[in-house]
Amino acid sequence: MRKLTGRRATVKASTVAIASTLLLSPLLGTTTASAAPAPAAQLKADQLPPTLVQAIARDLKMTPAQYLDRAAKAQQLRDYARQFRSAHPEQFAGAWMTRDGKPTMAVTSLEAAHTASSAGYQTRLAPISADKLEGSLDQLTQWINTLPRQVSSAINSVAIDFLNSQLVLTVANTPAGHLLNLPTLIANVKVILSPDAGGPVDHHPMGGDTYISAPTSLNDSQLKTVDVCSFGFNSVDSHGTALNISAGHCDPNLGKGNQQAGVWVPDPRNLKSSPQAGSFVNAQLGGSSGLDYSVIKLTDRAVKAGMDKPSVRGANGTTLTLTGTAEPVTGAPVCKSGQSSTFTCGYVVADRVETQLYTAEGESKTVRGFASSACTLGGDSGGAIVTGTLALGITSGSNAADAPDCKAANIDLAQYGGTASLGIPIRSILSDIDARSGGGLGSGISVRVRPNAG
């Protein structure tokens, strides 16, 4: 995965022109936050919005039924792999979906291979367990954190490649990158050099739609620019508070005071008259959780306008109804919604990635998430990522953020392996919000989903 850029777009406050700012360089019925949910039902193929069907065919070369079936099998694999790893920690070496859609388990012994094969899974023998690979990743990350900034900045990403039982370290093709001396005690590291650096329309606001934010009131005469991001998943806590989950780096007051800042649905004719949809009440970027997310408390006006619905928007206003939550599985098909690129699709290419994110002030934060090949553009930050009709995560960054559109991004990035995006897992976000709530706002938070789907 090459260097990514996670961008919220910026707009001059005195104009209505949306131009495509935050630099990210990677190192790598409702579902509650407190318990692992049972597998959720998904919508039927003929219930998917037409523009999502077009994106699935264009980006994944699949029918809607194949997309939903593969997404469901990926979650079944994740559940089985979790149980298998708990029972056989030293024999589990990873799990993924192959390109032709076969759920695959990597194991370290023939006995374990027989167990997984008897359960109906394709197997592969691996030389090292997942626990040892993750231990090596932790060692490598700790070593990177000890490096001088001018050296560590040459490291674009670190990810676990379970398919080949190795860590993949992507390093900028610069003098600093060439001089990097890896610690000899960490085995199984591969180094890659990379470049340096149609349907019915619902007009109610929802996930995937545009919002603007500013550190002060839109009427502040000192305000020069506003930021543009995408709403993520509509949610609700145990107190019935209506919330939306977006990206942490979209909060212009991140790290300042109480971090609160206003969120508005932009009025293209006059930004200052834009109706307020809510305010940031919690934003995390890096830290102990390694997550990039924000919590927006929605106004009563926004709720009445439809922000309590379990929906995300794609192209031309068409919408997708959510039916549950999911976890990233390497090889699983995903589609994302965002205000710039609308519906685009791809595959999970790494279910654990650690990233150094640089804020506009030059501060570095380590962020953890998953990588996908879905095209994501500037302004898509905070938007919803789904697998099937299940909420998977929110968009944090991309290597195509500066591209004018996905067609140009696909051409320009083809020689570097194509488009790559960083997502933050929704279940990890929900758990962290709940843990930090202290029983107050955000306690027991859940993504709004349609009950009894399917």
Side-chain angles (χ1 to χ4, degrees), residues 25-382:
S25 171
L27 272 172
L28 223 327
T30 289
T31 300
T32 63
S34 57
Q42 302 201 52
L43 297 178
K44 296 177 181 178
D46 59 4
Q47 294 175 299
L48 298 183
T51 48
L52 178 57
V53 172
Q54 293 168 11
I56 292 168
R58 179 193 66 226
D59 300 337
L60 302 177
K61 306 297 186 286
M62 291 183 190
T63 66
Q66 289 171 329
Y67 166 68
L68 293 171
D69 179 65
R70 193 171 298 192
K73 286 181 178 177
Q75 292 307 299
Q76 293 168 2
L77 172 63
R78 168 68 75 168
D79 292 342
Y80 178 78
R82 181 183 288 110
Q83 296 168 5
F84 185 96
R85 184 173 190 173
S86 177
H88 314 282
E90 295 190 1
Q91 295 175 304
F92 175 76
W96 61 87
M97 299 289 290
T98 63
R99 275 289 179 168
D100 57 356
K102 294 179 180 177
T104 302
M105 290 276 296
V107 293
T108 60
S109 73
L110 291 174
E111 179 184 4
H114 177 73
T115 300
S117 180
S118 298
Y121 292 97
Q122 182 171 288
T123 61
R124 179 186 295 183
L125 282 177
I128 186 171
S129 70
D131 282 353
K132 290 180 179 177
L133 273 177
E134 291 177 356
S136 294
L137 176 64
D138 291 339
Q139 293 177 51
L140 186 56
T141 301
Q142 291 169 14
W143 172 75
I144 290 170
N145 289 336
T146 67
L147 298 175
R149 172 68 177 272
Q150 64 268 29
V151 177
S152 65
S153 63
I155 300 174
N156 283 343
S157 68
V158 177
I160 295 179
D161 176 10
F162 284 115
L163 282 70
N164 297 297
S165 298
Q166 62 186 4
L167 305 182
V168 178
L169 182 71
T170 308
V171 179
N173 193 7
T174 63
H178 286 231
L179 291 173
L180 196 64
N181 262 328
L182 290 174
T184 56
L185 293 179
I186 302 177
N188 302 304
V189 179
K190 178 182 179 181
V191 177
I192 298 176
L193 292 179
S194 72
D196 186 24
V201 175
D202 186 339
H203 295 286
H204 296 100
M206 64 185 67
D209 281 354
T210 307
Y211 69 81
I212 58 175
S213 60
T216 61
S217 166
L218 292 182
N219 292 315
D220 187 342
S221 61
Q222 302 300 311
L223 185 64
K224 302 300 181 184
T225 62
V226 296
D227 295 316
V228 180
C229 279
S230 299
F231 283 115
F233 297 111
N234 291 331
S235 305
V236 63
D237 67 10
S238 58
H239 306 289
T241 309
L243 306 166
N244 186 273
I245 298 172
S246 187
H249 71 255
C250 288
D251 182 352
N253 287 335
L254 180 71
K256 302 174 184 177
N258 62 11
Q259 303 190 133
Q260 294 191 5
V263 170
W264 294 266
V265 176
D267 182 338
R269 295 163 295 185
N270 182 0
L271 283 184
K272 290 186 177 182
S273 67
S274 300
Q276 185 164 359
S279 299
F280 291 105
V281 292
N282 183 3
Q284 300 296 324
L285 182 58
S288 59
S289 70
L291 302 176
D292 175 15
Y293 72 83
S294 61
V295 181
I296 300 170
K297 183 180 179 181
L298 300 171
T299 63
D300 290 341
R301 180 178 182 177
V303 173
K304 290 177 181 177
M307 289 289 288
D308 59 345
K309 294 185 177 181
S311 307
V312 295
R313 191 189 307 279
N316 302 321
T318 57
T319 61
L320 172 69
T321 300
L322 302 170
T323 60
T325 64
E327 295 183 28
V329 177
T330 299
V334 298
C335 294
K336 58 130 274 297
S337 170
Q339 67 97 24
S340 298
S341 57
T342 64
F343 278 137
T344 58
C345 302
Y347 296 92
V348 175
V349 296
D351 57 17
R352 179 176 174 181
V353 178
E354 297 197 356
T355 304
Q356 280 297 308
L357 185 149
Y358 296 97
T359 67
E361 293 76 23
E363 187 178 4
S364 174
K365 300 285 187 178
T366 300
V367 178
R368 301 184 186 96
F370 62 93
S372 84
S373 57
C375 175
T376 302
L377 303 177
D380 285 339
S381 286

